[in-house]
Amino acid sequence: MILPIIMAGGSGSRLWPLSRQQFPKQFLTLFGENSMLQTTANRLAGLQHKPPVVICNEEHRFSVAEQFRLNNIDNSGIILEPVGRNTAPAIALAAMLAIRNGEDPLMLVLAADHVIKDEPAFCHAVNQAIPLAQQNQLVTFGIVPTQPETGYGYIQRGASLADNLGFEVNQFVEKPDLATAENYLATGNYYWNSGMFLFKASAYLKELKQYRPLIYTACEASLADTTHDLDFIRINQTVFETCPDESIDYAVMENTQHAVVVPMDCGWSDVGSWSALWEIQDKDADGNVFNGDVIGINTQNSYVKASEKLVATIGLDDVVVVETKDAILVAKQSEVQQVKNVVEQLKSQQ
Ligand code: GDD
Ligand code: MG
């Protein structure tokens, strides 16, 4: 049975001022009633699976536990990282703990902060990937790209696999520059890496040990004296601090010879910016998404979110306005990625 591993350790600075260090994107309720994390866990309902393992930063443990409790979601443990060392170590900790329990589960690695509109299509692709993962392949789920986005991994599709389950991976390139991404799009045989994976715990660890032995040994040593209280699993801070900081994409996926890709056409978005959030939502006749107490006069193609106060806009095109208790963002849609520069400035002032 599948063991979902939900990675919830990101800082999500691109949705500032709503997302904060204490309350990053995965814990926000951006649509409907549930947070991104809750939605990620609920989405598993269409699959045969064990309760998910969550891996997150120590400082977010109560947000995770509370959000699971509120939705009556079971878990198989909440692994707490004393410091963030990115996704390659995070996944390694989950894999090593599973194997230590005498199991070698198929791990469905999920980001806690993605939108997926078509849940049956998501479940279908995961089920299709199961026999591939059972054959010790590292399965990635590929999304057909629509623009030369540089924040994603790109997967060059190779030969078709038996039974049309997916494709070999000729090349995996994490976050290429714009010119390279444009070339990839023009060739038509690249997918975006969705950031979701399915593999046996042992298959992942074998590759990690081969390509990033330092990450492997640091994670192994960090688990030498774990402590458990409630659902929380704590690891050795001093040792984990010595672990190299690297994502699974650079550490393993760019290097492995055992990657395959299963296409996933499920209305996926990683909601990497306010504009991405505007894009995926239903708009009014003027192309606007208004959220909260908003009056828009002669305003087009804009995203306006009011949290605490009434927000009124007049004569604006292509803007993002996000009002929160202690900060207001006003930006051009096309430049909204630069909120990360605001966050950096704020950090340097602290
Ligand atoms: N536990 C834990 N610890 N989780 C982490 C950590 C960490 O140190 N760092 C990031 N995460 C979580 C984030 O919360 C998110 O859910 C997921 O891991 C992916 O991390 P991101 O930082 O959002 O990665 P990315 O968006 O830059 O790139 C990845 O996702 C893209 C698709 O959204 C890559 O896999 C790309 O190849 C992919 O295209
Ligand atoms: Mg992301």
Side-chain angles (χ1 to χ4, degrees):
M1 222 190 308
I2 287 173
L3 176 66
I5 309 292
I6 303 181
M7 304 182 291
S11 57
S13 54
R14 286 173 292 190
L15 291 187
W16 183 91
L18 205 59
S19 68
R20 298 294 171 93
Q21 202 176 341
Q22 275 302 321
F23 211 70
K25 182 172 115 190
Q26 55 271 29
F27 304 120
L28 298 175
T29 300
L30 295 172
F31 326 85
E33 294 178 353
N34 289 315
S35 71
M36 312 278 297
L37 173 68
Q38 288 168 322
T39 307
T40 304
N42 291 341
R43 184 181 297 137
L44 297 166
L47 294 168
Q48 292 266 351
H49 68 94
K50 296 188 179 146
V53 168
V54 183
I55 175 142
C56 66
N57 197 282
E58 163 92 33
E59 67 178 333
H60 297 138
R61 65 191 180 284
F62 293 125
S63 300
V64 171
E66 176 71 355
Q67 294 201 347
F68 268 53
R69 192 186 60 75
L70 285 173
N71 268 19
N72 283 322
I73 308 166
D74 251 357
N75 70 71
S76 300
I78 301 172
I79 306 172
L80 303 181
E81 294 158 298
V83 288
R85 285 292 178 263
N86 218 314
T87 52
I91 299 164
L93 295 173
M96 286 171 176
L97 282 169
I99 286 189
R100 190 200 273 183
N101 289 338
E103 294 165 28
D104 186 9
L106 290 185
M107 306 203 320
L108 176 63
V109 176
L110 300 171
D113 57 355
H114 289 168
V115 166
I116 289 180
K117 288 191 168 168
D118 185 347
E119 293 189 353
F122 161 79
C123 294
H124 177 78
V126 172
N127 285 325
Q128 189 172 324
I130 289 176
L132 299 170
Q134 278 166 339
Q135 293 158 25
N136 297 317
Q137 303 288 350
L138 308 194
V139 184
T140 76
F141 295 96
I143 310 285
V144 174
T146 51
Q147 78 251 10
E149 167 68 55
T150 54
Y152 294 153
Y154 284 73
I155 302 165
Q156 189 187 29
R157 190 176 64 203
S160 183
L161 300 170
D163 302 323
N164 284 325
L165 291 178
F167 300 91
E168 287 174 4
V169 170
N170 277 351
Q171 201 193 12
F172 185 110
V173 180
E174 179 64 5
K175 299 188 176 39
D177 61 26
L178 184 62
T180 310
E182 280 169 347
N183 271 338
Y184 290 166
L185 238 72
T187 70
N189 61 346
Y190 280 81
Y191 290 109
W192 280 334
N193 172 33
S194 65
M196 298 181 271
F197 306 93
L198 185 77
F199 39 63
K200 276 193 203 164
S202 59
Y204 174 71
L205 290 175
K206 184 162 176 253
E207 299 302 284
L208 186 72
K209 193 174 189 176
Q210 175 170 354
Y211 295 108
R212 292 295 186 269
L214 291 179
I215 296 182
Y216 184 94
T217 46
C219 290
E220 203 175 37
S222 323
L223 292 173
D225 52 1
T226 50
T227 57
H228 296 239
D229 76 288
L230 304 170
D231 296 330
F232 301 131
I233 303 167
R234 288 196 167 74
I235 65 174
N236 185 304
Q237 172 164 358
T238 323
V239 179
F240 195 63
E241 276 171 355
T242 68
C243 183
D245 179 315
E246 200 172 17
S247 75
I248 178 178
D249 318 285
Y250 289 113
V252 173
M253 298 315 296
E254 284 200 332
N255 297 305
T256 180
Q257 300 299 308
H258 299 286
V260 295
V261 56
V262 169
M264 192 185 259
D265 181 9
C266 63
W268 172 92
S269 166
D270 90 333
V271 210
S273 68
W274 288 112
S275 286
L277 192 62
W278 169 79
E279 258 164 42
I280 60 175
Q281 291 193 75
D282 293 338
K283 299 169 193 65
D284 68 16
D286 294 319
N288 297 313
V289 175
F290 291 159
N291 196 302
D293 210 358
V294 176
I295 298 176
I297 294 175
N298 192 17
T299 296
Q300 286 95 29
N301 302 319
S302 294
Y303 179 89
V304 185
K305 182 174 179 68
S307 305
E308 303 269 328
K309 299 190 179 72
L310 166 72
V311 176
T313 60
I314 305 175
L316 293 178
D317 267 335
D318 297 311
V319 295
V320 168
V321 180
V322 179
E323 178 268 341
T324 67
K325 193 173 184 162
D326 58 354
I328 299 171
L329 168 72
V330 182
K332 262 194 204 170
Q333 287 253 29
S334 58
E335 296 190 27
V336 81
Q337 286 289 1
Q338 292 190 49
V339 297
K340 57 178 186 283
N341 302 347
V342 177
V343 175
E344 268 160 34
Q345 279 206 27
L346 282 170
K347 275 189 190 150
S348 68
Q349 286 166 13
Q350 272 171 9

